[in-house]
Amino acid sequence: MQGLAIILSGPSGVGKSTIVRQAGAQLKNWCFSVSCTTRAPRPGEVDGRDYHFYTKERFEQDIAAGSFLEWAEVHGNYYGTLRHPVQETIQTGGLMILDIDVQGARQIRAAIADSPTEPSFVTVFIAPPSLAELERRLRGRQTETEESIQKRLKNARTELAAMGEYEFCVVNDKLEQAAEDFLAIVKAARCRTALLHTNPLL
Ligand code: 5GP
């Protein structure tokens, strides 16, 4: 059976990684895609675990080499997903969860249009209950400067406008419920008939 890649987008601070961590406890054979970025590590972030922290030069070399499945400039830094780990996970029947912005999700949609591996990609948008709540969460994180918070809030409005491009939306009001909804989407996606190489009845 083919594996699955879940493309997860939503404004910064909405709680994507918290939902994945919560839901992940009940999932098997899954991993989180480690993106490459040129932004500086936040306190506590580990290179190779949270992100691959690249210099701008290295990132641009990898763009030129075609190493990225998608990449985008977000809040003034480059972010990108390496092509190889995603391909390998899908080919070996695993589940990979990718946290990427709406520009990156558009690139993946464009790349997989008319491709036979299309059922292996599912797109999910995580929305905050309100912009006021999102701002409260971003401030509560205490890792961002005021300038960075304003940049992220401005970007959030643009991202929220793209919600309709996604197959599913989960509103992260109460974490427990959001994680449960996310889990239900993953389970349903894994049951897609198109993921079967062969029909057991034939
Ligand atoms: P942060 O700096 O808060 O870790 O991430 C900022 C934004 O970058 C998030 O909204 C996240 O979705 C996006 N992002 C993280 N990794 C990638 C990636 O590999 N590709 C794209 N296109 N966006 C990413």
Side-chain angles (χ1 to χ4, degrees):
M1 190 159 155
Q2 237 172 249
L4 194 65
I6 308 268
I7 316 289
L8 205 59
S9 301
S12 179
V14 78
K16 285 165 287 184
S17 47
T18 316
I19 291 174
V20 172
R21 239 179 284 128
Q22 176 95 1
Q26 296 189 56
L27 289 169
K28 285 191 207 97
N29 191 17
W30 76 280
C31 60
F32 203 55
S33 166
V34 181
S35 297
C36 303
T37 184
T38 57
R39 86 151 161 74
R42 295 193 183 116
E45 282 186 333
V46 176
D47 186 33
R49 184 193 70 187
D50 300 290
Y51 279 104
H52 299 294
F53 293 101
Y54 276 21
T55 59
K56 196 162 176 260
E57 291 68 34
R58 177 158 183 210
F59 201 101
E60 287 173 346
Q61 271 169 16
D62 272 13
I63 294 175
S67 307
F68 292 116
L69 177 64
E70 62 74 36
W71 64 272
E73 210 174 324
V74 188
H75 315 131
N77 286 300
Y78 286 135
Y79 291 81
T81 308
L82 291 168
R83 189 184 300 278
H84 182 69
V86 183
Q87 278 174 342
E88 195 175 278
T89 304
I90 290 178
Q91 278 161 10
T92 55
L95 165 68
M96 185 177 258
I97 300 176
L98 296 87
D99 172 355
I100 61 179
D101 84 321
V102 299
Q103 308 170 69
R106 282 184 190 133
Q107 287 175 42
I108 293 184
R109 264 188 226 104
I112 64 176
D114 303 323
S115 140
T117 59
E118 196 176 348
S120 281
F121 286 84
V122 178
T123 58
V124 183
F125 192 89
I126 311 286
S130 67
L131 275 171
E133 174 59 17
L134 182 69
E135 179 168 358
R136 199 188 64 77
R137 289 183 196 172
L138 273 174
R139 292 192 184 283
R141 218 151 71 165
Q142 296 186 323
T143 52
E144 311 299 328
T145 61
E146 182 60 29
E147 190 196 351
S148 165
I149 288 174
Q150 292 307 331
K151 222 191 263 184
R152 280 159 200 269
L153 285 174
K154 185 163 168 267
N155 206 40
R157 288 192 175 82
T158 321
E159 294 230 312
L160 284 166
M163 194 169 88
E165 297 172 22
Y166 289 73
E167 290 169 90
F168 299 96
C169 177
V170 171
V171 177
N172 187 14
D173 187 3
K174 297 270 178 289
L175 173 65
E176 294 290 328
Q177 184 62 52
E180 206 178 289
D181 291 351
F182 177 67
L183 204 56
I185 294 167
V186 176
K187 286 185 175 174
R190 271 191 159 167
C191 294
R192 277 179 167 172
T193 52
L195 292 181
L196 292 170
H197 286 309
T198 52
N199 183 327
L201 294 179
L202 298 177

